[in-house]
Amino acid sequence: MPVASPYAARLGEIPVERREAQILGSTTAYWVYGDDGDDGRAVPTVITVHGFRGEHHGLEPVVAYLPGVRVISPDLPGFGETPPIPGRAHDLSLYSGWLSEFARTVAPDAVILGHSFGSIVCAAAVAGGLRTPRLILINPIGAPALEGHKGVLTRLAVLYYSLGAKLPERIGTLLLRNPLIVRVMSIAMAKTRDPALRRFIHDQHDTYFSRFADRDVLHDAFVTSVSHDVRAFAGVIDVPTLLIAAQRDDITPIEAERRLATMFPDAELVEIADVGHLIHYETPAEAAGAIRRFLRLPVAPAR
């Protein structure tokens, strides 16, 4: 039985519509939250890019605290309801090119927002010429995944995804979708002590973490996620950038996020305490508040 979202009431007040776009010879599924401003009002538009193994649902808690903002949230190729791009390796070149084409097709000049793996994709696309007035990165990957105090865990993940790719297809896919391993990943990332919120987070990962198209796409995306980080692109991103970082992030330590912020020509760093790599689930109100200030929008009504 699905676990009720603590953000459902807020999200239910925001209209949402599923749409599709033809991007790079394939169909991208995306969701539009909020209205199009057809009554003449200026409505800010943000395109969001979710993290590794996730899909658009993951960023809905943040969307729930952004009333008055038009949010366009696609599933990455090979995840959720978006099929892989035919005949292409799903590497950083593919994902950044896909995002650039998607933005040009659906919402030119929208603000670009990426979480975790999405931060790498967004940074690469903007550095490569994607036009945007502002860039927002939540839990940005600001250091090499194979370095630092969590490097051993990352190497174990490399082994896990390599086995999933090399074993016979059925066995490899079962390993990659194993619910016990998914739950262990979820427990490792969650920092909240709120039992209801923990149940919601685990249910989200149980429901959506295995909605990848096939093991080849998943392996490509994983290799991309551990082979790149935002530092490679920061110096050439010439638009105002907001970094929303967690002080207990096991993927990128806060010290590395502080260094990352200094690499951008124009960046603001907002740190959130007592949370790890799941800002979007555990502290979406704080993240949305930072986004609203960055976009110079009024504070969302409290309830």
Side-chain angles (χ1 to χ4, degrees):
M1 181 176 178
V3 176
S5 167
Y7 314 110
R10 281 183 170 272
L11 191 65
E13 296 178 0
I14 299 174
V16 58
E17 179 183 350
R18 184 190 184 280
R19 301 180 185 176
E20 294 181 350
Q22 296 302 305
I23 308 295
L24 301 183
S26 185
T27 300
T28 291
Y30 67 100
W31 287 257
V32 180
Y33 300 85
D35 60 48
D36 293 334
D38 294 334
D39 58 2
R41 292 176 294 110
V43 177
T45 298
V46 178
I47 293 175
T48 67
V49 181
H50 62 77
F52 175 67
R53 285 194 72 149
E55 42 109 278
H56 75 280
H57 284 100
L59 290 167
E60 283 190 333
V62 178
V63 174
Y65 286 92
L66 292 174
V69 177
R70 181 173 179 252
V71 178
I72 298 174
S73 192
D75 285 345
L76 282 166
F79 295 88
E81 296 185 28
T82 298
I85 304 298
R88 294 283 301 274
H90 285 62
D91 54 16
L92 186 56
S93 175
L94 179 282
Y95 281 117
S96 61
W98 163 86
L99 175 58
S100 296
E101 183 64 22
F102 177 79
R104 284 192 292 266
T105 301
V106 173
D109 298 322
V111 173
I112 302 297
L113 180 154
H115 170 257
S116 188
F117 175 60
S119 73
I120 302 174
V121 174
C122 292
V126 173
L130 170 59
R131 290 179 54 188
T132 182
R134 289 174 179 259
L135 175 64
I136 301 167
L137 305 178
I138 301 176
N139 288 121
I141 306 300
L146 296 175
E147 295 181 5
H149 68 295
K150 295 295 181 178
V152 172
L153 294 179
T154 302
R155 287 177 173 83
L156 288 175
V158 170
L159 176 61
Y160 168 66
Y161 286 104
S162 295
L163 282 173
K166 293 177 181 177
L167 288 169
E169 184 172 1
R170 180 176 175 276
I171 298 173
T173 301
L174 287 173
L175 174 66
L176 294 169
R177 290 195 167 115
N178 183 283
L180 178 59
I181 295 176
V182 170
R183 178 56 61 91
V184 169
M185 293 178 188
S186 187
I187 291 171
M189 289 189 290
K191 303 300 182 185
T192 180
R193 296 182 179 180
D194 182 334
L197 184 54
R198 289 184 72 89
R199 284 194 296 271
F200 168 69
I201 291 169
H202 297 333
D203 181 69
Q204 288 282 292
H205 288 141
D206 290 348
T207 304
Y208 301 118
F209 225 47
S210 294
R211 294 187 68 199
F212 53 88
D214 58 57
R215 63 178 186 166
D216 294 330
V217 166
L218 186 65
H219 185 258
D220 283 353
F222 175 74
V223 171
T224 299
S225 73
V226 298
S227 302
H228 302 274
D229 62 76
V230 175
R231 297 178 311 165
F233 312 104
V236 297
I237 293 176
D238 59 358
V239 299
T241 301
L242 172 65
L243 309 179
I244 304 176
Q247 292 184 351
R248 297 178 62 194
D249 195 334
D250 293 327
I251 307 298
T252 301
I254 192 61
E255 295 81 7
E257 301 286 36
R258 292 167 182 162
R259 289 193 296 271
L260 175 64
T262 68
M263 299 178 185
F264 288 85
D266 182 3
E268 171 189 349
L269 173 64
V270 171
E271 298 183 18
I272 303 180
D274 301 320
V275 67
H277 203 65
L278 304 180
I279 283 176
H280 57 311
Y281 284 140
E282 297 188 34
T283 57
E286 291 86 340
I291 292 168
R292 299 190 78 90
R293 291 190 295 273
F294 183 63
L295 299 181
R296 301 184 178 90
L297 299 174
V299 175
R303 284 199 299 276

